[in-house]
Each structure stands twice: as C-alpha cells, then as structure tokens.
Amino acid sequence: MIVTRFAPSPTGLLHLGHAFSALVAYQAAREAGGRFLLRIEDIDPVRCKPEYTQAIFTDLAWLGLAWEEPVRCQSDHGADYAAALDRLREMGLLYPCACTRRQIGELAAPQENDEAGPVYPGTCRGLPEAARAELAQTRACVWRLDMAQACARVGGLTWHDAGRGEVVADPGRFGDIVLARKDVPTSYHVSVTVDDALQGVSLVTRGEDLLAATDIHRLLQALLGLPTPRYRHHPLLRDASGRRFAKRDKALTLRALRQAGRSPQDVREMVGFGDFSL
Ligand code: GLU
C-alpha cells in the first residue's frame, strides 16, 4: 500500500508551487489506490502561524484534495523528536556547540558546500566531557551530529528516487550539521525523518530543492533503525521568467487566485493537473 504525504510549513499562504507539489503527492496515492496524508511542519514557533495552518486546510480542500484525519502537526509531537535525539546522544553522536555564525564563517574550511553554507570546522567536537556538560547547561547552544562517526557507524547507504534510480548517499559533505537548538529543540531533518517513519509514509514526494537533504534523512534512518521510503523529487514549478514561485508572489497564492474568481479547475490546469478527477 502506497502512503504519500504533503508536508507544508505554515509560514505563509500556499502558492501555485505548493498546489503542484500537493497534487503530485495526492495523484501518486490515488493512482496506486493508496493513502494520502497531510502533515503540518510547524516546529519553528517564530515563522509558523496558526492562521497559515488554517489557510492550508481551506485552500487544499478548495483545490479538491481530501486527506486523512487527524492531521499530524509537528508542534504537538516534540517528545517523539526528543526521543530520537536522545538515542543519537546515547550513541555518542551529538555534541553541544556554542560557536556563533561569525566564528563559523571565519573558521570554515575554504571548500564551501554550495547547498548548506560553510561546513562546520568541528571546533566544539573535541571538547572534554565536563566542558560539554557545562556548555549544554549554561549557554545557548545547538546540538551537532558528529558526521564522521555517524557515517562510519552505518557504512555506505543508498536510496531510491523515481526519476534518478538508485542514489548513493553522501551526507558527509554537509559536515557536522545542527540537529537541534535551544529555541527549536528539533530540526527539519529529525522531525521529517521521524514522522515519515511513524506515519508509515512509503513514498516521499517533494521538490528537487530537498534532494540533497535526502542524504541526511537516509543517514538518520540508518542510525535510528527506521525504514527507508522511496522518493520522488519533482522539478520546481517556475514562472514565465524561469523564477521559482515563492511566498513573496502574493498574486499567485491560492487565496488570491480564488478571490480573483479562478476556479479550482483553473488552478489545477495552471499547474498541469487539468485531467485531475475528484
Ligand atoms: N516542510 C517542508 C517545506 O515546506 C517540506 C518537507 C518535505 O516535504 O520533506 O518545504
């Protein structure tokens, strides 16, 4: 049984790019007689707003999508992410880091990683246990993954993408990534990996902008003993001038299109789903 999901972050109104992505997931489930889930990725209390969550429900229903209830909202499930982080901590794979962005920029090795900014040079990795404990208790710190140790522990990994076939994972290129912060005690990588497993998602459909992140998710699955779904990274929808749709394109939000008198069928046609059957 195929289980897909659409997992928006409620940081703004949905636009045409979201409509396309949601329809890809929805159609993949329907064609296979599978299940379609909606998940609200609202771990960031500063950027996420309840009114945008409500707008997601309204706009997707208007577009013609139906999903299973209850919808999983990540802000309700901090304990699940904390448990995953504790497991990584028990394996000795997490360490606290109090370096500022400025320090990291200054110290980073010259070979920059184009997807995630400078690779962390590992300054706090070598701190003795007592210094780590003190840092974790007294200072604003983040928790980083000891990438070299993590990769050594699981060995070579691959994952499957519908358009690309078998992909060799190379999470090591990201260096010691941040997996939790004091203010947001999880991260996109941890919560998405845990949730896809907990919800039994078997096919992750999402934009190509998240292709690189899948290497990290594959690593976390291996470390945490979670199953690996199949993936389908779809091209990002672009406007006539080749630019990606973004939250700033106010005229192309589903809400604005609806208010301008467009029908759900008009919008589905605009994103290439004109033959969508309700
Ligand atoms: N919440 C992410 C976003 O809105 C998508 C996560 C995913 O599909 O894995 O960009």
Side-chain angles (χ1 to χ4, degrees):
M1 158 81 74
I2 288 233
V3 182
T4 69
R5 72 350 180 239
F6 176 54
S9 301
T11 55
L13 291 171
L14 298 184
H15 53 65
L16 283 178
H18 292 114
F20 174 68
S21 198
L23 283 159
V24 167
Y26 187 76
Q27 203 81 318
R30 278 184 67 111
E31 279 168 8
R35 297 166 54 208
F36 169 72
L37 310 177
L38 172 63
R39 183 167 74 226
I40 302 296
E41 303 216 322
D42 56 350
I43 54 170
D44 183 339
V46 177
R47 296 179 59 228
C48 297
K49 305 253 182 298
E51 57 267 35
Y52 291 135
T53 299
Q54 281 314 313
I56 288 170
F57 298 147
T58 308
D59 293 346
L60 291 181
W62 175 79
L63 192 61
L65 304 195
W67 53 89
E68 291 182 15
E69 298 286 350
V71 169
R72 186 171 171 94
C73 291
Q74 291 189 326
S75 56
D76 294 336
H77 296 281
D80 292 329
Y81 316 132
L85 286 157
D86 280 346
R87 285 194 60 188
L88 297 174
R89 211 170 273 123
E90 280 157 21
M91 291 181 225
L93 296 177
L94 290 190
Y95 65 88
C97 163
C99 294
T100 62
R101 272 174 207 271
R102 208 171 131 252
Q103 284 170 321
I104 296 169
E106 282 164 1
L107 296 174
Q111 91 285 359
E112 290 222 338
N113 148 355
D114 50 355
E115 287 134 345
V119 170
Y120 178 63
T123 322
C124 291
R125 192 194 306 128
L127 290 180
E129 198 43 54
R132 280 188 182 186
E134 199 201 322
L135 198 163
Q137 276 178 12
T138 57
R139 308 230 340 241
C141 65
V142 298
W143 289 89
R144 290 187 180 273
L145 181 69
D146 183 332
M147 184 60 86
Q149 260 203 67
C151 289
R153 192 171 174 121
V154 297
L157 298 170
T158 60
W159 48 273
H160 185 273
D161 182 84
R164 297 165 180 84
E166 212 64 10
V167 178
V168 175
D170 176 23
R173 71 189 190 281
F174 296 103
D176 292 359
I177 50 170
V178 172
L179 290 187
R181 307 176 179 276
K182 270 248 161 81
D183 53 341
V184 181
T186 178
S187 56
Y188 161 63
H189 297 307
V190 169
S191 42
V192 84
T193 303
V194 167
D195 281 355
D196 283 335
L198 275 176
Q199 295 190 286
V201 171
S202 63
L203 175 65
V204 170
T205 62
R206 59 185 175 201
E208 276 174 358
D209 53 332
L210 292 170
L211 191 61
T214 304
D215 284 0
I216 296 172
H217 303 172
R218 181 68 190 90
L219 172 64
L220 292 176
Q221 289 154 8
L223 293 170
L224 295 167
L226 302 175
T228 301
R230 290 168 86 83
Y231 290 86
R232 180 163 152 201
H233 293 89
H234 59 71
L236 295 177
L237 211 60
R238 293 177 191 276
D239 66 15
S241 62
R243 240 174 21 126
R244 280 170 58 172
F245 290 112
K247 301 212 158 120
R248 61 177 178 272
D249 298 319
K250 300 274 184 290
L252 297 176
T253 63
L254 302 192
R255 177 159 299 184
L257 291 163
R258 180 166 81 241
Q259 286 168 352
R262 302 292 195 134
S263 70
Q265 179 63 18
D266 291 340
V267 171
R268 293 194 297 260
E269 276 170 20
M270 288 167 84
V271 297
F273 280 83
D275 57 355
F276 178 87
S277 58
L278 293 171

